[in-house]
Amino acid sequence: MIEEVPEKRLNRRTRGERNKRRERYFLFNESYDYDTESDDLSDDMSPPSTPPANNNFFKDGEKSSGEGKPKTSYANKTTERKDHLYKILVIGDLGAGKTSIIKRYVHRFFTQHYRATIGVDFALKVLNWDENTLIRLQLWDIAGQERYGNMTRVYYKEAVGAFIVFDVTRITTFESVAKWKTDLDSKVQLSDGSPIPCVLLANKCDQPKEGLVNNHNKMDEYCKENGFTAWFETSAKDNINIDEAARALVNKILENDTLLNVESAKDQEKFSITKEANAQRNGKLCSC
Ligand code: GTP
Ligand code: MG
């Protein structure tokens, strides 16, 4: 006898199909209905077959030119509208709360249920930063166990910001923070060679804390010495400071973006002046 399959079950996408749709979305900016899939995130922990690592589309200021290239900026008739896409890494030890923070930030929910991330998972957060600026944060949720693997270099590529997460109830996760930071700084830099901005998250602050995190001044010092942009006590469970931490990171990224764009504009100007001067010297260009 043939078993009847409920219609709802037939309409569900398989995990492979969902991963493919996500990849297409990230690589080609095809429309992607995140809301309908958000509740399935816990189901979707398998790594994509290819991490979207070409990432040319992260370069800011690039004009959209049709299919295959996501829009990164565009202008309308009255105002210059900016549309940024930033790749953000979320790293830290196993069970520190990376996935929970992302779920809270993007999908606005929390579960006590722990399911270790395998490889990497993705989420997209869209921010209407101001009336002329739309920011899309592509969050790369990298499994804690990946520090012992050799994929981090691939995952970190083209990132412009990072969160390092530790669990305030387990001091060993704080001890690993420096190792994560060293790994990060050695494998990814901004186009001028400086480290990417990194915000430290002392997660699970709804629980009793262990170690240095109990002393705010010492934590400030630690962050300064280790090159963190800022640090925040967060709780994915109680929704504490997650939006604030993200805002601090995005502010820093925008600041860097402006500086780097100014520098590259200056370089281009210098280059064209030198080119023109050389051409004149060689009699190839008429100055009249
Ligand atoms: P890996 O994927 O293995 O690297 O772990 P992870 O860093 O993604 O940890 P995950 O978000 O899966 O959380 C691990 C456990 O900690 C889960 O049981 C969560 O419910 C719990 N947890 C996460 N954040 C908080 C928090 O802010 N407070 C409390 N009390 N528990 C939390
Ligand atoms: Mg996880």
Side-chain angles (χ1 to χ4, degrees):
M1 195 173 125
I2 302 168
E3 196 194 330
E4 255 189 49
V5 182
E7 203 184 328
K8 197 163 175 248
R9 179 84 193 87
L10 281 171
N11 288 337
R12 275 184 70 103
R13 293 189 182 87
T14 64
R15 181 179 296 180
E17 282 167 345
R18 287 203 300 274
N19 273 341
K20 280 232 167 65
R21 270 163 54 81
R22 275 186 192 181
E23 275 177 44
R24 279 209 310 274
Y25 174 76
F26 285 124
L27 290 171
F28 305 120
N29 208 30
E30 282 184 5
S31 67
Y32 180 86
D33 187 1
Y34 229 85
D35 283 347
T36 58
E37 308 233 337
S38 59
D39 293 341
D40 282 345
L41 191 76
S42 59
D43 237 17
D44 229 340
M45 295 301 178
S46 56
S49 47
T50 42
N54 71 335
N55 297 342
N56 289 329
F57 57 90
F58 296 122
K59 280 175 201 146
D60 212 25
E62 193 177 70
K63 288 255 157 33
S64 162
S65 61
E67 223 177 76
K69 272 201 177 171
K71 293 171 202 149
T72 54
S73 79
Y74 60 89
N76 67 21
K77 276 182 191 149
T78 47
T79 47
E80 180 77 8
R81 180 139 174 88
K82 290 188 187 122
D83 185 349
H84 300 283
L85 178 62
Y86 293 134
K87 174 176 172 179
I88 310 286
L89 306 170
V90 185
I91 54 179
D93 268 5
L94 220 78
K98 301 175 293 295
T99 303
S100 302
I101 285 171
I102 292 172
K103 279 182 181 169
R104 168 61 77 192
Y105 184 51
V106 177
H107 307 283
R108 302 274 167 215
F109 82 100
F110 173 79
T111 167
Q112 289 282 359
H113 177 69
Y114 174 46
R115 189 176 195 160
T117 304
I118 298 162
V120 63
D121 200 7
F122 308 101
L124 185 77
K125 174 79 176 177
V126 181
L127 299 171
N128 284 307
W129 191 254
D130 60 35
E131 57 180 8
N132 292 325
T133 317
L134 185 91
I135 295 178
R136 278 176 292 167
L137 301 179
Q138 191 188 76
L139 299 157
W140 285 53
D141 176 8
I142 295 170
Q145 61 194 17
E146 284 298 314
R147 191 160 63 78
Y148 308 101
N150 47 17
M151 284 299 285
T152 55
R153 190 179 295 281
V154 177
Y155 295 152
Y156 294 174
K157 216 172 156 218
E158 303 279 348
V160 293
F163 291 110
I164 296 184
V165 185
F166 72 97
D167 174 348
V168 295
T169 69
R170 288 185 294 137
I171 202 155
T172 52
T173 65
F174 178 68
E175 286 160 5
S176 299
V177 165
K179 294 175 195 157
W180 280 105
K181 185 71 165 67
T182 309
D183 190 53
L184 182 74
D185 290 346
S186 65
K187 292 176 182 164
V188 62
Q189 291 88 31
L190 296 178
S191 57
D192 66 351
S194 57
I196 65 170
C198 183
V199 168
L200 181 60
L201 303 183
N203 193 42
K204 307 194 190 177
C205 72
D206 54 281
Q207 306 268 54
K209 294 167 237 163
E210 262 191 9
L212 201 70
V213 68
N214 287 299
N215 184 330
H216 279 219
N217 289 339
K218 286 245 165 79
M219 275 299 285
D220 287 346
E221 247 171 63
Y222 175 89
C223 285
K224 230 183 213 169
E225 276 166 19
N226 289 279
F228 285 98
T229 304
W231 75 281
F232 289 84
E233 283 187 339
T234 57
S235 167
K237 182 167 178 266
D238 292 347
N239 193 17
I240 298 171
N241 274 341
I242 294 173
D243 289 341
E244 288 77 359
R247 220 171 295 135
L249 184 63
V250 172
N251 263 323
K252 188 70 191 166
I253 292 169
L254 284 169
E255 202 181 296
N256 284 342
D257 224 3
T258 313
L259 285 174
L260 290 172
N261 281 340
V262 168
E263 283 308 308
S264 91
K266 270 190 201 159
D267 284 350
Q268 266 180 11
E269 203 178 315
K270 256 191 232 158
F271 178 69
S272 61
I273 290 169
T274 318
K275 221 171 109 184
E276 201 173 302
N278 282 343
Q280 279 188 2
R281 212 174 299 129
N282 296 336
K284 284 181 192 152
L285 194 77
C286 176
S287 59
C288 55

